[in-house]
Amino acid sequence: MATITAAMVKELRERTQAGMMDCKKALNETEGDMEKAVAYLREKGLAAAAKKAGRVAAEGCVESYIHMGGKIGVLVEVNCETDFVAKTDTFKSLCHDVALQIAAANPLYISKEDVPAAALEAEKEILRAQALNEGKPEKIVDRMVEGRISKYYTENCLLEQAFVKNPDITVGTLVNEATWLPAKRFPSVVSFAMNAAKASKRRNPIWRPKSPK
């Protein structure tokens, strides 16, 4: 079996935006073959779109947003491919908009793929119980649960939420179709943290092996 190094996991994570453990598993399953690992993650629905698969988002910025007299504070890291793009006003505007979104909508995760399986199953059980308590026929309950899970995603996953400045699009659309950036350098939201009043929670931290979506 091939030796999987931290550097390999880091490279795969940067290329796919998949979770650290998912990247490590993909490399193990493909015996360290980077291209096969990318394909593996895409097949599992854990990687970014094909147009991003070969691009490395190694630059970016950390944006802060303070709202309501300091009662709500947000830090968000958004990455892009080049330092040139990271310094543009349009990219900085995107970062600000994402931070504003987090402050306004308080997401729990960056994407659907970031929702832990255990949390998702627990939510499905709650929704199933609710449907049964409403007197819905059991034969349609599972279909109802799937529909309500979609609502759960739109409420709790940043990229699935309606953009506060334009509810006709999602934050994912805002980020992924940022064609106003030079040479279509696709950005990616890597991590965020929100502090509301005295309660603070770090969400989806970026993994940085040398010193974590």
Side-chain angles (χ1 to χ4, degrees):
M1 180 176 292
T3 300
I4 308 303
T5 66
M8 293 169 65
V9 176
K10 179 176 183 292
E11 179 184 348
L12 184 58
R13 177 177 166 80
E14 289 175 340
R15 289 185 59 175
T16 65
Q17 300 302 308
M20 180 183 70
M21 297 308 296
D22 291 325
C23 288
K24 185 175 181 180
K25 180 179 179 181
L27 287 165
N28 281 322
E29 292 290 333
T30 58
E31 297 184 348
D33 188 305
M34 190 63 63
E35 296 306 320
K36 288 182 179 180
V38 170
Y40 175 91
L41 289 170
R42 288 183 59 201
E43 289 171 0
K44 297 294 184 181
L46 300 173
K51 63 185 178 183
K52 299 180 185 179
R55 302 172 184 263
V56 176
E59 302 294 339
C61 74
V62 175
E63 175 72 13
S64 62
Y65 179 80
I66 307 298
H67 186 59
M68 296 179 62
K71 292 184 178 180
I72 297 176
V74 171
L75 284 176
V76 60
E77 179 180 355
V78 183
N79 283 357
C80 58
E81 296 170 39
T82 68
D83 181 58
F84 171 74
V85 170
K87 291 180 179 179
T88 62
D89 289 339
T90 48
F91 182 78
K92 293 176 181 178
S93 176
L94 172 66
C95 296
H96 177 78
D97 283 343
V98 173
L100 175 65
Q101 176 76 27
I102 294 167
N106 191 24
L108 296 175
Y109 311 100
I110 292 177
S111 68
K112 292 189 292 186
E113 291 75 23
D114 291 323
V115 181
L120 187 60
E121 287 305 313
E123 185 66 22
K124 286 182 177 180
E125 287 301 316
I126 292 172
L127 294 175
R128 181 178 176 80
Q130 288 177 347
L132 290 173
N133 290 335
E134 291 169 3
K136 305 298 182 183
E138 189 165 355
K139 62 182 180 180
I140 68 168
V141 165
D142 288 341
R143 189 163 65 249
M144 291 182 62
V145 168
E146 290 306 314
R148 292 179 180 182
I149 280 294
S150 295
K151 182 179 179 182
Y152 173 82
Y153 286 141
T154 62
E155 291 177 347
N156 295 288
C157 299
L158 174 64
L159 298 181
E160 301 298 320
Q161 291 179 337
F163 180 37
V164 291
K165 286 187 176 181
N166 180 7
D168 291 334
I169 65 172
T170 65
V171 177
T173 298
L174 175 73
V175 172
N176 292 331
E177 297 185 1
T179 54
W180 37 262
L181 285 174
K184 297 185 180 180
R185 300 295 186 180
F186 302 98
S188 59
V189 181
V190 178
S191 64
F192 68 88
M194 179 171 174
N195 187 311
K198 295 183 179 180
S200 176
K201 182 180 290 186
R202 175 71 173 177
R203 293 165 183 153
N204 297 303
I206 182 172
W207 175 63
R208 296 192 183 283
K210 65 180 180 181
S211 34
K213 91 155 123 95

